[in-house]
Amino acid sequence: MTDQANIDPTGFLGARYPAPRLFGSPEAASRPAARQQRVLVPRKLPPVALLFGPFAVLAIWQISSSAGWLPANILAAPSTVLSVGIDLAADGTLGKHFLASAARAYLALVLGVVLGLVLALLSGLTRIGEASIDGLVQIKRAIPTLALIPLAILWLGIGEVMKITIIVTSVLVPVYINTHAALRGIDIRYVELARTTGLTHWEFIRQVAIPGALPGFFTGLRLSVTTCWTALVVLEQINTTRGIGYLMSRARDYGQTEIIVVGLVIYAVLGLASDAIVRVLENRALSYRKVIGT
């Protein structure tokens, strides 16, 4: 073995380029624990902390209204909105319109989610399904919901069937897109493992495809809940006599901004509540995952 003094007789290299320090060296062990365990991702917030943003906006809104910076004819103060909402609930007006809106929204949501899931499975797991379904859904995704309303009125009239159909077609798109993407993104090694273990086609769908698509499905479901209420806002202002949208439309004609805001708050609360329910279901169904958000 060659002597080190023969390689570097002056010791210049050793002084200028010291030997690298390994992770297991005494120097590494003596570093402070805080530097060894750096916080790279934020810790999970408690559920109540997610309401900080909405409450901050409400506080700024109330202060602006009380100080006179925000006129009442432009936007009613939160305290006024709360008082009007309580009065509408007390005389039964709000409950009647709320039940009508909820019935439309959740019926269309269930139908749209089931249809979007079925289409995603057919398109993601069969060649003929992808050839015949994917292009149509992509075309629907590119067409705004409002653009379909005139044709839907001509075909289906202006009753409940038209409204629910429009919401269904809007809801199925996010479910389809995200579920289909999750299916196509399943690691091919799982497919090879399923083939090696001798799983049948239906066993593969039940044990590999559906569990692998669940994260994408829940993402699409959360988007669909928002889409459902967004579409309902518009559709309930077309030839309706019941619903939160009808209540807002009538208040617009009389310049009652406080009732309009009451309707918007109801839509927002229902949307947030629906999203929270989906989050709970997602956390339980995907409790096996160890990710940043858990």
Side-chain angles (χ1 to χ4, degrees):
M1 182 178 296
T2 307
D3 188 69
Q4 183 177 359
N6 295 332
I7 298 176
D8 183 22
T10 63
F12 173 77
L13 294 177
R16 191 174 181 87
Y17 302 104
R21 296 179 180 180
L22 301 178
F23 288 105
S25 62
E27 292 85 353
S30 62
R31 293 177 183 174
R35 293 188 60 188
Q36 292 184 13
Q37 298 180 356
R38 294 179 178 176
V39 178
L40 300 179
V41 295
R43 290 178 296 176
K44 184 178 179 181
L45 285 172
V48 68
L50 299 176
L51 298 176
F52 172 77
F55 278 115
V57 171
L58 283 176
I60 296 173
W61 179 7
Q62 181 63 50
I63 292 172
S64 301
S65 299
S66 301
W69 302 333
L70 190 61
N73 61 336
I74 300 297
L75 188 63
S79 56
T80 305
V81 172
L82 179 61
S83 176
V84 171
I86 292 175
D87 292 340
L88 290 174
D91 63 16
T93 302
L94 195 59
K96 176 181 65 175
H97 293 292
F98 167 77
L99 291 176
S101 293
R104 291 189 187 106
Y106 289 117
L107 175 60
L109 180 64
V110 170
L111 294 176
V113 168
V114 172
L115 184 58
L117 180 60
V118 171
L119 292 177
L121 291 174
L122 291 174
S123 178
L125 298 174
T126 63
R127 296 181 64 189
I128 187 172
E130 185 169 21
S132 57
I133 294 172
D134 190 67
L136 294 175
V137 177
Q138 298 299 334
I139 291 173
K140 168 59 187 73
R141 184 168 68 99
I143 299 176
T145 300
L146 293 177
L148 293 176
I149 292 178
L151 274 179
I153 291 175
L154 290 175
W155 294 343
L156 304 172
I158 53 179
E160 294 296 315
V161 175
M162 181 274 294
K163 297 177 179 62
I164 293 175
T165 301
I166 290 293
I167 299 174
V168 167
T169 58
S170 301
V171 164
L172 71 86
V173 173
V175 172
Y176 172 87
I177 294 295
N178 288 276
T179 306
H180 181 267
L183 280 172
R184 306 301 289 182
I186 293 176
D187 197 321
I188 195 65
R189 289 175 294 181
Y190 292 117
V191 180
E192 298 296 337
L193 179 61
R195 185 180 293 115
T196 302
T197 55
L199 292 182
T200 64
H201 185 68
W202 292 110
E203 289 174 338
F204 170 77
I205 293 175
R206 188 176 67 254
Q207 299 179 22
V208 179
I210 292 179
L214 278 180
F217 166 74
F218 279 111
T219 301
L221 183 57
R222 292 183 62 187
L223 294 174
S224 295
V225 169
T226 306
T227 303
C228 173
W229 290 106
T230 304
L232 188 66
V233 173
V234 178
L235 292 169
E236 282 194 332
Q237 299 183 34
I238 301 175
N239 190 45
T240 53
T241 57
R242 293 182 306 163
I244 301 300
Y246 165 73
L247 195 65
M248 294 170 60
S249 179
R250 191 177 62 180
R252 178 198 60 200
D253 297 335
Y254 293 98
Q256 298 170 315
T257 59
E258 63 278 5
I259 296 181
I260 295 175
V261 177
V262 168
L264 293 175
V265 170
I266 291 174
Y267 281 129
V269 170
L270 289 175
L272 288 175
S274 302
D275 183 74
I277 293 173
V278 174
R279 284 191 179 193
V280 171
L281 295 176
E282 181 181 12
N283 291 334
R284 291 187 177 182
L286 305 178
S287 59
Y288 60 89
R289 294 194 307 170
K290 300 299 180 182
V291 294
I292 291 177
T294 58

